[in-house]
Amino acid sequence: MDAETYHPIAADGRNPAVSGRVRPGKGGMTIRDRPFLTDVHLTLWLPGEDGDRIARALRRPRWPLRLGRSQDVVHPLTLSRITLRPADRAVVDHALAPSDAHRVPSATVHQLAASTSTDRLTTRWVDYLWCETSTGAQPVRGAHQDDTGQAVWLLEP
């Protein structure tokens, strides 16, 4: 659990936020316990020239890397070059997949933001499949696999 601080703004416009803060006093600050994950491991496949550019940036970031909230600091552990091969069967375990990519019974559908416009006014939402449990090799559509047999889907921006 994490104690997160909120600075609510009165609905009638009293006590407006200035630089992200509201004056102390009634409604000035609220602390809530929020659950969060720790020791999360995330694997990203970054193909092509953009992938090389992003990998170079991850090796020497100008600012601390964050995932989500400001305290969610990212620490890249390894960066390695791999070859992805087209696959008809692959291990689906814990891979984020397009909604029509496989038929694993234990998969759950999650609607996630797939892209956001540069002005941040429009978000495109897409259904994805997620398997929390181990699946072993399964029939897949539109997938690639890495050297370990893990399924990889290259998502459209």
Side-chain angles (χ1 to χ4, degrees):
M1 296 299 283
D2 181 32
E4 188 162 339
T5 305
Y6 293 86
H7 300 277
I9 300 170
D12 63 6
R14 289 179 293 116
N15 201 14
V18 177
S19 298
R21 304 250 181 217
V22 294
R23 284 186 324 243
K26 186 172 183 179
M29 184 173 76
T30 302
I31 297 176
R32 297 265 160 77
D33 284 339
R34 304 284 271 178
F36 71 102
L37 297 173
T38 60
D39 297 323
V40 175
H41 294 265
L42 178 67
T43 301
L44 299 175
W45 288 268
L46 306 166
E49 290 178 16
D50 282 340
D52 291 337
R53 181 181 56 80
I54 293 168
R56 284 191 306 274
L58 290 173
R59 283 186 185 95
R60 299 203 57 181
R62 291 183 181 159
W63 299 282
L65 300 173
R66 304 194 187 284
L67 182 64
R69 302 178 315 184
S70 62
Q71 67 266 36
D72 298 335
V73 179
V74 174
H75 302 284
L77 299 177
T78 60
L79 297 171
S80 56
R81 186 173 293 275
I82 63 166
T83 300
L84 296 176
R85 295 176 310 283
D88 293 328
R89 283 184 70 79
V91 177
V92 176
D93 303 359
H94 310 295
L96 192 62
S99 60
D100 62 347
H102 61 77
R103 298 193 187 278
V104 175
S106 62
T108 55
V109 177
H110 296 276
Q111 190 174 68
L112 302 170
S115 63
T116 303
S117 63
T118 54
D119 60 8
R120 299 181 62 112
L121 295 176
T122 307
T123 301
R124 184 172 61 92
W125 296 89
V126 175
D127 288 342
Y128 293 101
L129 295 174
W130 170 258
C131 289
E132 189 172 335
T133 59
S134 296
T135 63
Q138 299 287 326
V140 294
R141 286 181 294 288
H144 294 77
Q145 66 180 350
D146 65 11
D147 296 335
T148 68
Q150 173 67 52
V152 177
W153 285 269
L154 301 176
L155 304 178
E156 296 295 321

